[in-house]
Amino acid sequence: MPANFTPSSDDLLRFAPEMILSAAGTLLMVLDPFFAKKMPKLFGHLSIVAFILAIFGALGANSVAGPAFSNLLIVDGFATFFRILVMIIGILTVLLSYRYLDRELSETSEYHALLLFSVVGQSLMVASNDLIMIFIGLEISSIATYILAGYLRDDKRNNEAALKYFLLGSFATGFLLYGVAIVYGLTGTTKLNEIPGLLASQGTSPLVIGVATAMILVGLGFKISGAPFQMWAPDVYQGAPAPVSAFMATAPKAAAFAILIRIFMTSFQPSASGWEPFIWISALLSMTLGNFAALTQNNLKRMLAYSSIAHAGYLLVAVAARSEFGTAAAMFYLAAYALMNIGAFAVVIHISGKGERHLRIEDLAGLGQKQPVTAALLTIFLLSLIGVPLTGGFFGKFYIFHAALKSNLVWLSVLGLLNSAVAAYYYLRLLVVMYMHEPGDVTRSLEPLTPGLGAALVLPAIGTFFLGVMPGVVLTFARNSSLLGK
Amino acid sequence: MDLFFFSLFAFIALICAVNVVLQKHPISSALSLVGVMASLAVLYLLLGAEFVAMSQVIVYAGAVMVLFVFVIMLLNAGIEVHHGRSWMAKLLGFPAFLAILGLLCFFVQRGFPNVGSVRFGDWEGGGAQQVGYALFTEYLLPFEVTSVLILIAIIGAIVLARKELD
């Protein structure tokens, strides 16, 4: 038997970002006994360095784009875009966490190691060309996130969030795995790009393909918190530590959307007319349920959770368009959404105080008077979440509905736009409380912004403006890489 | 020979499976489950899938069952009844065990001098060599990356189960 056990150097380079992050995660745990007491912030600094190195690794991998490890991985523009996106989210999450972990007197090394490993999983998922790799990446990402959700072990809401997320998440993964097993049974392969040809040549019954597609859609629908699989999101986002909620609402979601698009635009592309109505319904349900439920929330984290369900709905509109432009629009929107959502969570972490006691909307009262800069930055994020021009959120929505109209999804676009109008109400309500109300106890005794939180506010704000003023840069990259596998 | 072994171990597996449900004491149920797993391993061996058979014993009969028994004992389900071991068991236990092991080895060696590979249609494989070869060439990446998954599980166990410091 000819044995060549050594991967080629190109293979290794295409896998570089994951190797860097895994090595850094392991290093963090080795350093734990020496520095955990003396320099708790060291682990965060190291994580940021690792993420930056990994971004360069991802760019390096992109310079030798192509399949790796006997076609299990595929490094293309699409993968690179999402790899860099989840790493940027990783950096911002670390910035969010400095003050939070400090305030809760929590261990830092395992937290940051888990964060690094979670990003390894997401980075692996988005570059996978194989259902097995997708499954392993998804599990790495999910299990790390389950643990992070329950990281503050003595907090009851943390425990509830982690348990709920774990049980429902495992159940959803089970669905995904059933779908994968059926696909493997039908075709004898798990390679995404070989599936459509084999399904067609064997003349498989559409019903069985439909069952497999539905199983995979249910599994991924849970991960992106799209209706009707969104029930877990509000409880989990509310219960988990706030920086983890910010992370959960962005990175795993972006990665899950990436593989949803990759699977459905490559493997299940021929049966698109079959699955499109389901995406259509899920998009409409997510937008409507998310926005209307958010209207009545008084808890900031819960409101942001419902808003994240609504945003998953907008993104599903882009998937339903099932065109290359739709893919590019979804990529752009995910980047814009990640920035504005993390920014909004940064303010929530800032005002919530030890033990996250201040999470009501009224707790923002008078923030505009007491801390005008924080209030101004939150205003940018809220305007972007609404989709006001000059912000990234505006162009994100613009491209999505443009793509939908191009694919003749007129009704979905109209209903989506109506939904955005509803959403404006609950975002604007925060602005009113912040600027029009007299300062309350919370804002009067608010600590000044720490450097970490400040950076986690300013960087996304710059990013949001950049996407809103010069959307062309990112959109061109997204459009060039929206043809998967190139 | 094949048919004889298949019938024997399929029968044992069935008896043990029924016993899992019938036993009142959870530990006895768990031990019956070990019987099911072990018999299944022999069935895999009869198919020629030596690697699957081995993993079946190590993973299920070994790791998973130990976990089961641990949980049962931790939860203190049921009361354990102690019987003093009879002098017969003390005297003959170990030699009898060796004898049975030797007999099994002898029969397996006689019955399957060279275990072939599994065939399903035009697919062939399943031996330790083929599985190992696939794991280290075509499926090298998932095989290695799984280690990260296990590492996370370990960190998670430490994070969630550690005692409060100071």
Side-chain angles (χ1 to χ4, degrees):
Chain A
M1 231 182 245
N4 177 20
F5 295 123
T6 357
S8 73
S9 59
D10 274 1
D11 279 3
L12 289 176
L13 187 54
R14 286 170 191 144
F15 187 55
E18 288 82 4
M19 289 198 288
I20 295 171
L21 293 176
S22 311
T26 319
L27 179 72
L28 248 53
M29 288 181 298
V30 175
L31 293 180
D32 174 52
F34 307 109
F35 296 103
K37 288 266 161 56
K38 279 177 272 175
M39 307 169 63
K41 287 208 159 70
L42 174 77
F43 302 104
H45 301 332
L46 284 177
S47 309
I48 291 183
V49 172
F51 280 127
I52 292 172
L53 283 178
I55 290 177
F56 284 111
L59 291 171
N62 196 38
S63 66
V64 287
F69 289 99
S70 50
N71 216 0
L72 288 170
L73 281 191
I74 178 132
V75 177
D76 50 10
F78 185 77
T80 307
F81 182 90
F82 279 104
R83 273 176 162 179
I84 294 178
L85 179 62
V86 291
M87 286 160 198
I88 291 176
I89 294 172
I91 294 176
L92 293 173
T93 311
V94 174
L95 291 173
L96 289 181
S97 311
Y98 281 129
R99 180 70 192 120
Y100 190 87
L101 294 175
D102 191 27
R103 203 161 59 194
E104 307 294 339
L105 305 171
S106 183
E107 301 269 324
T108 54
S109 62
E110 286 105 353
Y111 179 92
H112 287 114
L114 285 168
L115 197 62
L116 283 167
F117 285 128
S118 181
V119 174
V120 169
Q122 286 137 18
S123 169
L124 204 61
M125 272 156 86
V126 299
S128 294
N129 186 35
D130 187 285
L131 290 168
I132 298 283
M133 284 314 296
I134 287 180
F135 169 69
I136 295 179
L138 189 68
E139 277 303 274
I140 293 177
S141 153
S142 308
I143 291 182
T145 324
Y146 300 149
I147 302 163
L148 283 173
Y151 195 75
L152 302 178
R153 218 179 29 132
D154 297 327
D155 187 314
K156 275 193 193 128
R157 288 164 309 168
N158 265 224
N159 287 335
E160 184 202 336
L163 194 63
K164 201 170 254 179
Y165 192 31
F166 170 65
L167 291 176
L168 292 173
S170 315
F171 198 55
T173 312
F175 270 98
L176 180 78
L177 212 48
Y178 267 122
V180 171
I182 295 174
V183 170
Y184 182 70
L186 290 174
T187 60
T189 183
T190 48
K191 302 265 191 315
L192 294 181
N193 52 355
E194 291 170 11
I195 291 171
L198 284 164
L199 281 179
S201 67
Q202 290 169 348
T204 321
S205 126
L207 184 71
V208 188
I209 302 178
V211 171
T213 316
M215 293 280 193
I216 292 180
L217 190 59
V218 169
L220 292 178
F222 173 89
K223 302 288 175 192
I224 60 172
S225 70
F229 313 109
Q230 89 296 359
M231 307 300 277
W232 59 278
D235 291 349
V236 173
Y237 288 12
Q238 187 185 0
V244 177
S245 310
F247 179 74
M248 278 195 294
T250 49
K253 194 176 241 184
F257 259 108
I259 55 171
L260 178 75
I261 292 172
R262 203 190 272 283
I263 295 177
F264 281 75
M265 293 298 282
T266 55
S267 303
F268 298 138
Q269 172 71 3
S271 53
S273 52
W275 52 257
E276 196 230 275
F278 293 97
I279 302 266
W280 198 101
I281 294 170
S282 177
L284 182 61
L285 272 179
S286 312
M287 289 190 291
T288 318
L289 272 173
N291 281 326
F292 279 90
L295 284 179
T296 58
Q297 300 305 320
N298 193 32
N299 180 302
L300 284 168
K301 274 163 95 184
R302 216 172 163 80
M303 193 203 88
L304 284 171
Y306 279 112
S307 126
S308 108
I309 295 170
H311 286 280
Y314 301 133
L315 282 157
L316 283 170
V317 173
V319 180
R322 57 192 169 90
S323 61
E324 276 158 43
F325 190 67
T327 305
M331 291 162 77
F332 185 92
Y333 198 88
L334 278 165
Y337 170 70
L339 293 175
M340 55 206 189
N341 196 52
I342 287 188
F345 265 105
V347 177
V348 172
I349 293 166
H350 179 53
I351 66 152
S352 63
K354 185 171 165 58
E356 295 189 30
R357 277 166 302 158
H358 312 302
L359 283 172
R360 290 173 312 143
I361 287 176
E362 297 86 70
D363 290 333
L364 281 171
L367 190 68
Q369 284 179 34
K370 290 288 164 192
Q371 294 199 350
V373 179
T374 315
L377 290 167
L378 180 58
T379 309
I380 295 173
F381 301 127
L382 292 174
L383 292 179
S384 183
L385 283 163
I386 298 172
V388 171
L390 282 183
T391 60
F394 169 74
F395 280 106
K397 284 211 176 70
F398 176 77
Y399 292 137
I400 281 184
F401 290 118
H402 186 54
L405 287 175
K406 262 189 168 174
S407 303
N408 292 323
L409 297 169
V410 181
W411 273 108
L412 192 59
S413 309
V414 170
L415 293 167
L417 287 171
L418 284 176
N419 252 297
S420 327
V422 173
Y425 172 77
Y426 60 84
Y427 295 126
L428 287 175
R429 193 158 61 123
L430 296 190
L431 287 183
V432 170
V433 172
M434 211 160 60
Y435 283 108
M436 311 283 188
H437 289 197
E438 284 302 309
D441 294 338
V442 179
T443 38
R444 260 190 236 121
S445 56
L446 203 58
E447 57 181 25
L449 270 181
T450 55
L453 271 181
L457 274 168
V458 172
L459 293 178
I462 295 173
T464 307
F465 261 125
F466 176 75
L467 290 178
V469 179
M470 289 192 283
V473 183
V474 175
L475 189 73
T476 313
F477 185 83
R479 291 208 68 169
N480 288 337
S481 45
S482 60
L483 194 62
L484 303 172
K486 288 284 172 327
Chain B
M1 197 63 151
D2 273 18
L3 191 67
F4 168 71
F5 273 114
F6 174 79
S7 323
L8 178 66
F9 284 100
F11 187 67
I12 295 178
L14 277 178
I15 297 284
C16 288
V18 173
N19 205 27
V20 173
V21 189
L22 290 184
Q23 283 294 332
K24 288 220 168 60
H25 198 286
I27 293 280
S28 315
S29 288
L31 289 179
S32 307
L33 203 55
V34 176
V36 181
M37 305 284 190
S39 324
L40 279 182
V42 178
L43 294 187
Y44 286 131
L45 200 59
L46 287 171
L47 280 171
E50 52 185 38
F51 183 75
V52 181
M54 222 153 57
S55 344
Q56 170 82 14
V57 171
I58 295 171
V59 176
Y60 281 99
V64 173
M65 281 318 300
V66 167
L67 208 66
F68 269 28
V69 174
F70 255 64
V71 172
I72 292 171
M73 288 185 166
L74 278 180
L75 293 180
N76 251 339
I79 310 121
E80 259 188 289
V81 190
H82 286 280
H83 294 291
R85 282 202 288 174
S86 68
W87 62 271
M88 273 277 275
K90 276 179 194 160
L91 202 67
L92 292 177
F94 193 64
F97 167 74
L98 276 187
I100 290 175
L101 198 68
L103 267 178
L104 258 180
C105 290
F106 175 73
F107 275 118
V108 169
Q109 186 60 28
R110 273 284 293 280
F112 325 96
N114 47 351
V115 180
S117 46
V118 194
R119 283 194 190 80
F120 290 116
D122 51 358
W123 183 84
E124 194 181 335
Q129 199 184 1
Q130 286 100 326
V131 171
Y133 185 76
L135 273 186
F136 278 97
T137 52
E138 205 189 336
Y139 295 102
L140 178 68
L141 189 61
F143 179 65
E144 296 291 349
V145 166
T146 310
S147 59
V148 176
L149 191 60
I150 295 169
L151 185 60
I152 293 178
I154 297 171
I155 305 175
I158 293 171
V159 167
L160 297 179
R162 72 171 159 225
K163 288 218 170 76
E164 271 319 297
L165 299 169
D166 343 300

